[in-house]
PDB file of all heavy atoms in Angstrom:
ATOM      1  N   THR A 521     -36.961  67.333   4.013  1.00 91.00           N
ATOM      2  CA  THR A 521     -35.733  66.533   4.107  1.00 91.00           C
ATOM      3  C   THR A 521     -35.862  65.424   5.145  1.00 91.00           C
ATOM      4  O   THR A 521     -35.278  64.346   4.987  1.00 91.00           O
ATOM      5  CB  THR A 521     -34.548  67.456   4.463  1.00 91.00           C
ATOM      6  OG1 THR A 521     -34.454  68.484   3.482  1.00 91.00           O
ATOM      7  CG2 THR A 521     -33.246  66.679   4.516  1.00 91.00           C
ATOM      8  N   LEU A 522     -36.637  65.677   6.213  1.00 93.00           N
ATOM      9  CA  LEU A 522     -36.745  64.712   7.300  1.00 93.00           C
ATOM     10  C   LEU A 522     -37.857  63.684   7.083  1.00 93.00           C
ATOM     11  O   LEU A 522     -37.908  62.679   7.796  1.00 93.00           O
ATOM     12  CB  LEU A 522     -37.003  65.439   8.623  1.00 93.00           C
ATOM     13  CG  LEU A 522     -35.899  66.370   9.117  1.00 93.00           C
ATOM     14  CD1 LEU A 522     -36.305  67.019  10.426  1.00 93.00           C
ATOM     15  CD2 LEU A 522     -34.572  65.609   9.284  1.00 93.00           C
ATOM     16  N   LEU A 523     -38.740  63.907   6.142  1.00 92.00           N
ATOM     17  CA  LEU A 523     -39.916  63.042   6.016  1.00 92.00           C
ATOM     18  C   LEU A 523     -39.582  61.585   5.699  1.00 92.00           C
ATOM     19  O   LEU A 523     -40.277  60.690   6.190  1.00 92.00           O
ATOM     20  CB  LEU A 523     -40.883  63.612   4.967  1.00 92.00           C
ATOM     21  CG  LEU A 523     -41.437  65.013   5.266  1.00 92.00           C
ATOM     22  CD1 LEU A 523     -42.654  65.293   4.395  1.00 92.00           C
ATOM     23  CD2 LEU A 523     -41.791  65.205   6.739  1.00 92.00           C
ATOM     24  N   PRO A 524     -38.548  61.284   4.902  1.00 89.00           N
ATOM     25  CA  PRO A 524     -38.274  59.864   4.645  1.00 89.00           C
ATOM     26  C   PRO A 524     -37.922  59.070   5.892  1.00 89.00           C
ATOM     27  O   PRO A 524     -38.094  57.853   5.915  1.00 89.00           O
ATOM     28  CB  PRO A 524     -37.078  59.909   3.677  1.00 89.00           C
ATOM     29  CG  PRO A 524     -37.136  61.243   3.047  1.00 89.00           C
ATOM     30  CD  PRO A 524     -37.680  62.156   4.097  1.00 89.00           C
ATOM     31  N   ARG A 525     -37.432  59.738   6.930  1.00 90.00           N
ATOM     32  CA  ARG A 525     -37.056  59.015   8.147  1.00 90.00           C
ATOM     33  C   ARG A 525     -38.055  59.230   9.279  1.00 90.00           C
ATOM     34  O   ARG A 525     -37.808  58.831  10.408  1.00 90.00           O
ATOM     35  CB  ARG A 525     -35.644  59.423   8.586  1.00 90.00           C
ATOM     36  CG  ARG A 525     -35.494  60.868   8.982  1.00 90.00           C
ATOM     37  CD  ARG A 525     -34.032  61.250   9.137  1.00 90.00           C
ATOM     38  NE  ARG A 525     -33.368  61.301   7.848  1.00 90.00           N
ATOM     39  CZ  ARG A 525     -32.061  61.435   7.675  1.00 90.00           C
ATOM     40  NH1 ARG A 525     -31.276  61.528   8.726  1.00 90.00           N
ATOM     41  NH2 ARG A 525     -31.537  61.468   6.468  1.00 90.00           N
ATOM     42  N   ALA A 526     -39.192  59.883   8.985  1.00 94.00           N
ATOM     43  CA  ALA A 526     -40.184  60.183  10.020  1.00 94.00           C
ATOM     44  C   ALA A 526     -41.308  59.154  10.009  1.00 94.00           C
ATOM     45  O   ALA A 526     -41.563  58.490   9.005  1.00 94.00           O
ATOM     46  CB  ALA A 526     -40.753  61.582   9.812  1.00 94.00           C
ATOM     47  N   ALA A 527     -41.997  59.027  11.155  1.00 94.00           N
ATOM     48  CA  ALA A 527     -43.169  58.156  11.280  1.00 94.00           C
ATOM     49  C   ALA A 527     -44.457  58.956  11.240  1.00 94.00           C
ATOM     50  O   ALA A 527     -45.539  58.390  11.042  1.00 94.00           O
ATOM     51  CB  ALA A 527     -43.103  57.356  12.574  1.00 94.00           C
ATOM     52  N   GLY A 528     -44.382  60.268  11.431  1.00 95.00           N
ATOM     53  CA  GLY A 528     -45.558  61.120  11.416  1.00 95.00           C
ATOM     54  C   GLY A 528     -45.142  62.571  11.377  1.00 95.00           C
ATOM     55  O   GLY A 528     -43.971  62.907  11.619  1.00 95.00           O
ATOM     56  N   LEU A 529     -46.086  63.459  11.059  1.00 97.00           N
ATOM     57  CA  LEU A 529     -45.795  64.889  10.901  1.00 97.00           C
ATOM     58  C   LEU A 529     -46.954  65.695  11.486  1.00 97.00           C
ATOM     59  O   LEU A 529     -48.121  65.419  11.194  1.00 97.00           O
ATOM     60  CB  LEU A 529     -45.604  65.208   9.421  1.00 97.00           C
ATOM     61  CG  LEU A 529     -45.484  66.689   9.021  1.00 97.00           C
ATOM     62  CD1 LEU A 529     -44.253  67.321   9.639  1.00 97.00           C
ATOM     63  CD2 LEU A 529     -45.438  66.812   7.496  1.00 97.00           C
ATOM     64  N   ILE A 530     -46.609  66.711  12.276  1.00 96.00           N
ATOM     65  CA  ILE A 530     -47.605  67.606  12.864  1.00 96.00           C
ATOM     66  C   ILE A 530     -47.097  69.039  12.727  1.00 96.00           C
ATOM     67  O   ILE A 530     -45.920  69.304  12.982  1.00 96.00           O
ATOM     68  CB  ILE A 530     -47.839  67.280  14.352  1.00 96.00           C
ATOM     69  CG1 ILE A 530     -48.349  65.842  14.521  1.00 96.00           C
ATOM     70  CG2 ILE A 530     -48.811  68.261  14.984  1.00 96.00           C
ATOM     71  CD1 ILE A 530     -48.335  65.362  15.950  1.00 96.00           C
ATOM     72  N   SER A 531     -47.988  69.958  12.318  1.00 95.00           N
ATOM     73  CA  SER A 531     -47.615  71.371  12.208  1.00 95.00           C
ATOM     74  C   SER A 531     -48.707  72.231  12.814  1.00 95.00           C
ATOM     75  O   SER A 531     -49.898  71.884  12.756  1.00 95.00           O
ATOM     76  CB  SER A 531     -47.393  71.758  10.742  1.00 95.00           C
ATOM     77  OG  SER A 531     -47.208  73.157  10.613  1.00 95.00           O
ATOM     78  N   GLU A 532     -48.297  73.360  13.382  1.00 94.00           N
ATOM     79  CA  GLU A 532     -49.269  74.296  13.955  1.00 94.00           C
ATOM     80  C   GLU A 532     -49.955  75.135  12.894  1.00 94.00           C
ATOM     81  O   GLU A 532     -50.981  75.763  13.167  1.00 94.00           O
ATOM     82  CB  GLU A 532     -48.573  75.210  14.966  1.00 94.00           C
ATOM     83  CG  GLU A 532     -48.062  74.476  16.195  1.00 94.00           C
ATOM     84  CD  GLU A 532     -47.472  75.425  17.229  1.00 94.00           C
ATOM     85  OE1 GLU A 532     -47.404  76.635  16.947  1.00 94.00           O
ATOM     86  OE2 GLU A 532     -47.093  74.955  18.320  1.00 94.00           O
ATOM     87  N   THR A 533     -49.400  75.194  11.671  1.00 92.00           N
ATOM     88  CA  THR A 533     -50.019  75.953  10.580  1.00 92.00           C
ATOM     89  C   THR A 533     -50.067  75.074   9.339  1.00 92.00           C
ATOM     90  O   THR A 533     -49.590  73.947   9.326  1.00 92.00           O
ATOM     91  CB  THR A 533     -49.213  77.226  10.256  1.00 92.00           C
ATOM     92  OG1 THR A 533     -47.906  76.828   9.791  1.00 92.00           O
ATOM     93  CG2 THR A 533     -49.066  78.124  11.460  1.00 92.00           C
ATOM     94  N   GLY A 534     -50.632  75.656   8.261  1.00 89.00           N
ATOM     95  CA  GLY A 534     -50.628  74.976   6.978  1.00 89.00           C
ATOM     96  C   GLY A 534     -51.920  74.245   6.696  1.00 89.00           C
ATOM     97  O   GLY A 534     -52.758  74.027   7.576  1.00 89.00           O
ATOM     98  N   GLY A 535     -52.088  73.873   5.422  1.00 88.00           N
ATOM     99  CA  GLY A 535     -53.265  73.137   4.979  1.00 88.00           C
ATOM    100  C   GLY A 535     -52.880  72.075   3.981  1.00 88.00           C
ATOM    101  O   GLY A 535     -51.706  71.887   3.660  1.00 88.00           O
ATOM    102  N   MET A 536     -53.892  71.394   3.453  1.00 86.00           N
ATOM    103  CA  MET A 536     -53.631  70.267   2.570  1.00 86.00           C
ATOM    104  C   MET A 536     -52.991  70.682   1.247  1.00 86.00           C
ATOM    105  O   MET A 536     -52.400  69.854   0.548  1.00 86.00           O
ATOM    106  CB  MET A 536     -54.922  69.508   2.297  1.00 86.00           C
ATOM    107  CG  MET A 536     -55.877  70.233   1.362  1.00 86.00           C
ATOM    108  SD  MET A 536     -57.200  69.160   0.786  1.00 86.00           S
ATOM    109  CE  MET A 536     -58.077  68.916   2.312  1.00 86.00           C
ATOM    110  N   ALA A 537     -53.089  71.959   0.873  1.00 85.00           N
ATOM    111  CA  ALA A 537     -52.549  72.406  -0.408  1.00 85.00           C
ATOM    112  C   ALA A 537     -51.098  72.855  -0.308  1.00 85.00           C
ATOM    113  O   ALA A 537     -50.509  73.246  -1.317  1.00 85.00           O
ATOM    114  CB  ALA A 537     -53.401  73.545  -0.963  1.00 85.00           C
ATOM    115  N   GLY A 538     -50.512  72.818   0.869  1.00 86.00           N
ATOM    116  CA  GLY A 538     -49.129  73.239   1.010  1.00 86.00           C
ATOM    117  C   GLY A 538     -48.160  72.238   0.390  1.00 86.00           C
ATOM    118  O   GLY A 538     -48.459  71.058   0.213  1.00 86.00           O
ATOM    119  N   HIS A 539     -46.967  72.710   0.067  1.00 86.00           N
ATOM    120  CA  HIS A 539     -45.954  71.851  -0.528  1.00 86.00           C
ATOM    121  C   HIS A 539     -45.576  70.707   0.406  1.00 86.00           C
ATOM    122  O   HIS A 539     -45.391  69.565  -0.020  1.00 86.00           O
ATOM    123  CB  HIS A 539     -44.709  72.669  -0.879  1.00 86.00           C
ATOM    124  CG  HIS A 539     -44.906  73.592  -2.040  1.00 86.00           C
ATOM    125  ND1 HIS A 539     -45.695  73.282  -3.115  1.00 86.00           N
ATOM    126  CD2 HIS A 539     -44.384  74.835  -2.296  1.00 86.00           C
ATOM    127  CE1 HIS A 539     -45.668  74.275  -3.988  1.00 86.00           C
ATOM    128  NE2 HIS A 539     -44.879  75.237  -3.513  1.00 86.00           N
ATOM    129  N   LEU A 540     -45.426  71.004   1.696  1.00 90.00           N
ATOM    130  CA  LEU A 540     -45.029  69.956   2.634  1.00 90.00           C
ATOM    131  C   LEU A 540     -46.116  68.888   2.743  1.00 90.00           C
ATOM    132  O   LEU A 540     -45.814  67.696   2.880  1.00 90.00           O
ATOM    133  CB  LEU A 540     -44.743  70.567   4.005  1.00 90.00           C
ATOM    134  CG  LEU A 540     -44.081  69.627   5.022  1.00 90.00           C
ATOM    135  CD1 LEU A 540     -42.706  69.180   4.556  1.00 90.00           C
ATOM    136  CD2 LEU A 540     -43.969  70.284   6.391  1.00 90.00           C
ATOM    137  N   ALA A 541     -47.371  69.293   2.658  1.00 89.00           N
ATOM    138  CA  ALA A 541     -48.461  68.319   2.674  1.00 89.00           C
ATOM    139  C   ALA A 541     -48.402  67.410   1.454  1.00 89.00           C
ATOM    140  O   ALA A 541     -48.637  66.196   1.546  1.00 89.00           O
ATOM    141  CB  ALA A 541     -49.814  69.043   2.737  1.00 89.00           C
ATOM    142  N   SER A 542     -48.073  67.980   0.304  1.00 87.00           N
ATOM    143  CA  SER A 542     -47.957  67.175  -0.914  1.00 87.00           C
ATOM    144  C   SER A 542     -46.870  66.120  -0.777  1.00 87.00           C
ATOM    145  O   SER A 542     -47.047  64.961  -1.175  1.00 87.00           O
ATOM    146  CB  SER A 542     -47.665  68.074  -2.119  1.00 87.00           C
ATOM    147  OG  SER A 542     -48.742  68.959  -2.367  1.00 87.00           O
ATOM    148  N   VAL A 543     -45.725  66.523  -0.226  1.00 89.00           N
ATOM    149  CA  VAL A 543     -44.630  65.572  -0.050  1.00 89.00           C
ATOM    150  C   VAL A 543     -45.008  64.501   0.972  1.00 89.00           C
ATOM    151  O   VAL A 543     -44.687  63.320   0.804  1.00 89.00           O
ATOM    152  CB  VAL A 543     -43.342  66.306   0.363  1.00 89.00           C
ATOM    153  CG1 VAL A 543     -42.206  65.315   0.579  1.00 89.00           C
ATOM    154  CG2 VAL A 543     -42.935  67.318  -0.712  1.00 89.00           C
TER     155      VAL A 543
END
Side-chain angles (χ1 to χ4, degrees):
T521 303
L522 296 180
L523 299 196
R525 64 191 71 189
L529 172 63
I530 300 168
S531 172
E532 294 184 356
T533 63
M536 73 167 68
H539 289 325
L540 190 63
S542 296
V543 179

